[in-house]
């Protein structure tokens, strides 16, 4: 039950895009197309999960035993940037963003064990994917809606994102 709570918390209650406002560059940039959003959502989920696993291992197996915890952020940045560069050779799709760094930092500062670390990372990634897919669906429908000219494009996207954030705020009382 603890893992389920952690997972649901990462997907809905503490959604990184809609409650923490991280990853907005990709959120607004990719969410114009549903197919691109689905692909990017699951690719970022994979990158977040793998980066968080690597960062947890680095922190708990190297930095903590050597009493170098103060190097956490810089070592995570180097690790994640290197990992993403290696993945870009294969996938040519991934862009690093603040979510990919914030999930490992939150994971190690929360003291999650290895399995909790993985559950949290997968939940955070899927939460990102859910937000991205919902936004892309709304934006595709808005292309056919009677939106005032002054609000077309990015302005209406910000309004919809704000409304989605308010809707996700309703999940905060779930757990």
């Amino acid at each position: 039950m603890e893992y389920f709570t952690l997972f649901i918390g990462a997907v809905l209650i503490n959604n990184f895009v809609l409650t923490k406002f991280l990853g907005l560059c990709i959120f607004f940039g990719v969410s114009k197309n549903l197919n691109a959003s689905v692909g990017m959502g699951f690719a970022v989920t994979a990158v977040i999960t793998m980066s968080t696993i690597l960062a947890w291992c680095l922190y708990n197996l190297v930095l903590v035993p050597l009493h170098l915890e103060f190097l956490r952020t810089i070592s995570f940045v180097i690790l994640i940037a290197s990992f993403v560069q290696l993945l870009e050779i294969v996938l040519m799709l991934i862009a690093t963003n603040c979510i990919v760094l914030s999930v490992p930092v939150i994971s190690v500062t929360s003291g999650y064990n290895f399995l909790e670390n993985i559950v949290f990372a997968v939940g955070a990634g899927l939460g990102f994917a859910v937000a991205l897919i919902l936004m892309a669906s709304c934006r595709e429908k808005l292309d056919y809606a009677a939106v005032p000219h002054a609000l077309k494009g990015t302005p209406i996207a910000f309004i919809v994102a704000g409304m989605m954030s308010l809707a996700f705020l309703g999940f905060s009382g779930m757990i």
Side-chain angles (χ1 to χ4, degrees):
M1 191 62 179
E2 178 183 335
Y3 295 115
F4 179 73
T5 303
L6 183 61
F7 179 78
I8 293 299
V11 174
L12 298 176
I13 299 163
N14 297 313
N15 186 289
F16 280 81
V17 176
L18 298 174
T19 63
K20 295 184 186 304
F21 309 112
L22 297 171
L24 293 178
C25 50
I26 292 178
F27 180 68
F28 285 110
V30 178
S31 66
K32 295 176 184 174
N33 181 296
L34 183 59
N35 291 331
S37 295
V38 171
M40 181 60 83
F42 290 111
V44 169
T45 300
V47 169
I48 287 173
T49 303
M50 292 305 299
S51 295
T52 304
I53 290 170
L54 291 173
W56 187 91
C57 291
L58 174 67
Y59 184 78
N60 288 293
L61 302 177
V62 177
L63 297 179
V64 170
L66 296 175
H67 304 289
L68 298 172
E69 296 92 344
F70 63 93
L71 293 175
R72 178 189 66 210
T73 303
I74 190 69
S75 62
F76 284 8
V77 167
I78 292 169
L79 174 77
I80 291 167
S82 301
F83 177 66
V84 169
Q85 287 301 315
L86 286 173
L87 280 181
E88 281 186 353
I89 294 170
V90 178
L91 296 178
M92 300 298 289
L93 169 71
I94 308 302
T96 56
N97 64 46
C98 48
I99 291 178
V100 179
L101 177 61
S102 63
V103 172
V105 170
I106 291 171
S107 179
V108 298
T109 57
S110 298
Y112 294 148
N113 65 36
F114 188 72
L115 189 55
E116 289 171 335
N117 177 58
I118 294 171
V119 170
F120 179 67
V122 171
L126 289 178
F128 176 82
V130 164
L132 194 60
I133 291 166
L134 287 173
M135 185 64 167
S137 299
C138 290
R139 287 183 80 174
E140 283 192 356
K141 295 291 183 192
L142 284 170
D143 286 343
Y144 301 106
V147 176
H149 182 71
L151 295 177
K152 284 194 183 286
T154 305
I156 195 69
F158 277 114
I159 293 169
V160 170
M163 292 169 44
M164 286 174 54
S165 292
L166 288 171
F168 271 68
L169 182 63
F171 291 125
S172 64
M174 275 182 45
I175 295 178

